[in-house]
Amino acid sequence: MPEQKVKEVSDFAEFLMHKIENQMLTEGIQKLNTDDETFSFLAEEEELYSTKDLKAN
């Protein structure tokens, strides 16, 4: 295989690896946020406002 083609294949493989790594990082961050209970207290908080509080201008 010509050297130029080898470089193109190598560059493409590297591109795909970076893409997969970024996807895995994104999914990991999303999982951490989903599993995290930092803001779980908000689910227990009562609603302060309702649609009755809206005013039309």
Side-chain angles (χ1 to χ4, degrees):
M1 187 181 280
E3 186 66 31
Q4 181 60 28
K5 289 292 182 189
V6 171
K7 176 148 177 43
E8 286 179 26
V9 170
S10 175
D11 289 346
F12 184 66
E14 188 174 331
F15 164 77
L16 290 176
M17 288 179 61
H18 283 292
K19 188 173 181 176
I20 290 170
E21 287 174 357
N22 286 339
Q23 183 179 3
M24 289 173 61
L25 283 172
T26 299
E27 289 172 359
I29 290 170
Q30 288 173 341
K31 181 163 176 37
L32 283 173
N33 286 333
T34 301
D35 296 345
D36 190 19
E37 295 188 19
T38 302
F39 295 103
S40 62
F41 67 91
L42 293 174
E44 301 164 6
E45 203 170 319
E46 68 179 76
E47 294 293 324
L48 298 177
Y49 301 102
S50 71
T51 53
K52 295 176 184 175
D53 297 314
L54 295 175
K55 294 182 181 178
N57 287 333

